[in-house]
Amino acid sequence: MQPRHALTIAHHNEQRAEQFFLMLAKKALAASVRRAALEMAAEETEHVRLIAEWIKRTPAPDPNWAFDPDPPVLSD
């Protein structure tokens, strides 16, 4: 895995967290839970933005990044 791969995974998971908290806020019965969920969603939104900016500054992996000249040998 290269840095860009890790950032892409992180970005995806931050988006999922953002959507989770927005859904929680929408379904919450208690105002305090709704407020907390919206606060968390806002934090995740900022994380999504920050990681997207970081991805823009991170070089794409070399096309042959996964080449292993000495692959592991598996035996039973």
Side-chain angles (χ1 to χ4, degrees):
M1 180 181 293
Q2 298 289 300
R4 183 88 171 252
H5 298 130
L7 288 168
T8 301
I9 292 168
H11 188 257
H12 172 76
N13 286 317
E14 293 291 344
Q15 288 174 319
R16 290 180 61 210
E18 176 187 33
Q19 292 305 309
F20 169 78
F21 287 117
L22 289 172
M23 179 274 307
L24 182 61
K26 185 176 181 179
K27 293 184 177 192
L29 300 178
S32 60
V33 173
R34 199 168 27 259
R35 280 191 305 273
L38 289 172
E39 183 178 331
M40 293 299 294
E43 285 187 32
E44 299 304 332
T45 300
E46 178 64 7
H47 297 164
V48 169
R49 186 191 68 74
L50 290 169
I51 293 173
E53 289 297 318
W54 200 351
I55 288 171
K56 288 178 189 175
R57 296 188 312 265
T58 304
D62 182 272
N64 296 318
W65 72 271
F67 174 71
D68 185 353
D70 185 22
V73 177
L74 302 174
S75 61
D76 290 72

